[in-house]
């Protein structure tokens, strides 16, 4: 097969990163935004990541830009607020109330009624939900049937205000691009906050082999006062100061992932799609694609693009259109690599691993075992290997 032309990473930088975000956090603030006089209400006492994230998301929108926050459980105080999240026992977008603790609550990210999704929206997830006028595509239509997570407070906020947040940072994105980012940001960031807050295990049917205390929800939890810590201690921050710290930390994490999605992953989509459509020029089977720029993110795009172009494990119009099994690309040192495509949502399970007899073997030994010149390595787990040439890795 013909070797694709390879474009080095430095020469594609301007192409792969055409987007620059608006720095909403700058001082003074951007000239097109005015400080909001609205007041956001949430509960007092111990805080979690969902309301801390929900508040940060709201503060990135023009309507609530750097709005004040009142933390209370007094109904009279909360009723005086313009918007309330994670307290009050009511979810009503028209009334700007976004709680998820009430009996019968079952909101999921996706369809407006959430019937096909498992994950409940937290307060931030609710904020992220509202679509633009006339838009009728729903996040989760193509793969949302098996979602488990209910929305927490942040999930609710994300549901209704998420697109506005994205457009505030990246006003140049087209509506279809905003939708892609909207879905990816929920999947890559917001859903974990919802799941932890609403009690969804990562591996509900298996034994937990280790605990992760480095996740954002755990770090936010540690910002609360310790059980034996007195607020009278010298230099001890107030509860509201602690909450503001937590909200900023949630925002930093969210913005870091949003920036990566928009400025790295989104521009890579066109390259992955081009490789997918040209797959038969790489190998007649149509099960191998070759990326013309090593290092670009491809995994999430590949799964979505397969669905978009009718590439399925089942027959399409009585024609078998096989899923992609391998991706070829060069690393920074110029070595050709072959990487197995994992099964979607299956972690480390590959659609088709490299041969068992190759695994853990290197260099000349691997060339002898495989009968292919120029081999450099095959990972012991069989998910990736390398060769000096395109012909060899193919």
């Amino acid at each position: 097969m013909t070797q694709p032309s390879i474009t080095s990473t430095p020469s594609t930088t301007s192409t792969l990163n055409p987007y620059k975000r608006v720095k909403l956090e700058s001082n003074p603030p951007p000239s097109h935004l005015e400080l909001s006089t609205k007041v956001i209400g949430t509960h007092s006492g111990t805080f979690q990541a969902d309301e801390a994230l929900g508040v940060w998301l709201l503060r990135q929108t023009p309507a609530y830009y750097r709005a004040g926050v009142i933390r209370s459980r007094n109904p009279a105080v909360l009723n005086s607020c313009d918007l309330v999240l994670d307290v009050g026992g009511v979810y009503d977008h028209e009334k700007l109330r976004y709680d998820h603790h009430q009996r019968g609550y079952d909101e999921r990210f996706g369809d407006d009624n959430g019937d096909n999704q498992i994950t409940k929206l937290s307060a931030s997830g609710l904020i992220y939900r509202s679509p633009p006028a006339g838009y009728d595509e729903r996040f989760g239509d193509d793969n949302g049937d098996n979602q488990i997570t209910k929305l927490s407070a942040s999930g609710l906020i994300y549901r209704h205000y998420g697109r506005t947040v994205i457009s505030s940072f990246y006003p140049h994105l087209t509506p279809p691009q905003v939708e892609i980012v909207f879905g990816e940001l929920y999947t890559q960031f917001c859903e974990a906050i919802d799941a932890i807050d609403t009690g969804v295990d990562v591996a509900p049917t298996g034994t937990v082999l280790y605990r992760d205390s480095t996740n954002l929800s755990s770090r936010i939890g540690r910002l609360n006062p310790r059980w034996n810590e007195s607020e009278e201690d010298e230099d001890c921050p107030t509860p509201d100061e602690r909450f503001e710290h937590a909200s900023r930390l949630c925002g930093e994490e969210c913005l870091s992932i949003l920036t990566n999605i928009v400025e790295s992953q989104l521009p890579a989509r066109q390259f992955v799609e081009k490789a997918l459509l040209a797959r038969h020029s790489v190998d007649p089977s149509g099960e191998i694609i070759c990326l013309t720029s090593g290092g670009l993110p491809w995994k999430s795009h590949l799964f979505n693009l397969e669905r978009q172009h009718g590439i399925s494990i089942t027959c399409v119009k009585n024609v078998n259109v096989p899923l992609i099994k391998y991706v070829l690309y060069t690393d920074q040192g110029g070595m050709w690599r072959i990487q197995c495509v994992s099964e979607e949502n299956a972690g480390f399970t590959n659609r088709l691993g490299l041969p068992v007899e190759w695994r853990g073997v290197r260099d000349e030994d691997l060339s002898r075992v495989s009968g292919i010149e120029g081999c450099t390595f095959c990972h012991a787990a069989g998910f990736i290997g390398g060769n000096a040439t395109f012909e060899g890795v193919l």
Side-chain angles (χ1 to χ4, degrees):
M1 298 296 115
T2 304
Q3 175 179 339
S5 59
I6 302 301
T7 306
S8 62
T9 301
S11 64
T12 62
T13 301
S14 60
T15 301
L16 294 178
N17 281 314
Y19 309 121
K20 296 297 180 183
R21 68 177 175 86
V22 175
K23 297 187 182 299
L24 301 182
E25 69 276 20
S26 63
N27 285 307
S31 58
H32 68 286
L33 290 174
E34 296 182 359
L35 299 183
S36 176
T37 60
K38 295 181 182 294
V39 177
I40 302 168
T42 189
H43 63 81
S44 55
T46 300
F47 51 79
Q48 292 85 30
D50 70 322
E51 76 266 22
L53 174 60
V55 166
W56 182 86
L57 287 169
L58 287 166
R59 284 171 161 173
Q60 312 315 305
T61 67
Y64 297 94
Y65 183 62
R66 300 190 184 183
V69 173
I70 291 179
R71 301 177 65 241
S72 175
R73 292 190 181 274
N74 185 328
V77 172
L78 294 172
N79 286 339
S80 70
C81 298
D82 296 283
L83 182 151
V84 177
L85 71 154
D86 208 37
V87 66
V90 174
Y91 166 44
D92 189 327
H93 178 50
E94 291 185 359
K95 295 180 179 179
L96 304 180
R97 295 301 185 260
Y98 305 95
D99 195 15
H100 66 104
H101 297 98
Q102 56 272 26
R103 186 181 182 90
Y105 174 87
D106 195 33
E107 294 294 321
R108 319 284 175 139
F109 193 69
D111 285 347
D112 284 345
N113 59 6
D115 290 342
N116 294 326
Q117 299 231 350
I118 302 174
T119 304
K120 285 186 179 179
L121 295 179
S122 67
S124 60
L126 286 176
I127 294 296
Y128 198 70
R129 183 181 188 178
S130 290
Y135 189 82
D136 196 41
E137 293 297 317
R138 317 295 180 92
F139 178 67
D141 277 351
D142 54 2
N143 63 355
D145 292 343
N146 297 318
Q147 291 213 355
I148 299 170
T149 310
K150 290 184 179 181
L151 299 178
S152 70
S154 60
L156 292 174
I157 297 299
Y158 190 79
R159 167 192 275 181
H160 291 288
Y161 302 88
R163 294 177 178 88
T164 303
V165 172
I166 294 168
S167 297
S168 294
F169 283 108
Y170 294 97
H172 54 277
L173 294 181
T174 65
Q177 288 175 322
V178 170
E179 287 307 306
I180 292 172
V181 177
F182 179 63
E184 287 296 326
L185 186 57
Y186 184 76
T187 301
Q188 296 183 33
F189 178 67
C190 295
E191 185 172 17
I193 305 298
D194 284 343
I196 291 172
D197 194 81
T198 59
V200 179
D201 287 329
V202 175
T205 59
T207 302
V208 176
L209 300 181
Y210 62 89
R211 298 287 181 180
D212 176 21
S213 61
T214 66
N215 62 73
L216 179 59
S217 294
S218 295
R219 285 183 282 139
I220 294 300
R222 289 194 292 271
L223 294 177
N224 285 286
R226 299 184 299 275
W227 69 273
N228 57 354
E229 182 179 10
S230 172
E231 293 182 8
E232 298 178 357
D233 290 345
E234 186 177 358
D235 299 327
C236 181
T238 67
D240 287 349
E241 289 172 340
R242 291 175 182 271
F243 178 80
E244 291 292 345
H245 182 182
S247 188
R248 287 193 301 272
L249 179 57
C250 287
E252 290 170 0
E253 295 275 333
C254 183
L255 191 55
S256 173
I257 295 174
L258 173 61
T259 301
N260 184 62
I261 291 172
V262 175
E263 299 186 21
S264 177
Q265 296 180 30
L266 187 60
R269 183 182 175 90
Q270 61 180 311
F271 291 87
V272 179
E273 184 169 28
K274 183 178 180 180
L276 183 70
L277 297 176
R279 63 192 184 280
H280 289 99
S281 68
V282 176
D283 186 79
S285 70
E287 299 179 54
I288 304 173
I289 67 171
C290 182
L291 300 177
T292 58
S293 180
L296 62 83
W298 55 268
K299 291 184 180 180
S300 64
H301 290 312
L302 181 60
F303 298 135
N304 291 328
L305 287 168
E306 283 180 326
R307 283 188 288 270
Q308 179 181 326
H309 291 282
I311 300 173
S312 171
I313 196 169
T314 58
C315 292
V316 178
K317 294 182 179 180
N318 297 320
V319 177
N320 185 31
V321 184
L323 296 169
I324 306 303
K325 305 300 191 303
Y326 302 111
V327 177
L328 311 182
Y329 58 88
T330 55
D331 64 16
Q332 293 181 342
M335 178 175 64
W336 277 96
R337 295 198 178 212
I338 178 171
Q339 185 167 343
C340 304
V341 177
S342 62
E343 294 182 6
E344 190 170 9
N345 300 322
F348 300 103
T349 302
N350 298 315
R351 290 173 173 174
L352 183 62
L354 295 174
V356 174
E357 58 269 22
W358 296 4
R359 300 178 186 182
V361 186
R362 301 185 62 87
D363 302 324
E364 293 180 358
D365 291 335
L366 180 56
S367 291
R368 184 174 59 255
V369 170
S370 65
I372 302 171
E373 293 293 329
C375 290
T376 54
F377 80 100
C378 180
H379 194 279
F383 75 95
I384 192 170
N387 194 283
T389 68
F390 169 76
E391 291 77 15
V393 80
L394 180 62

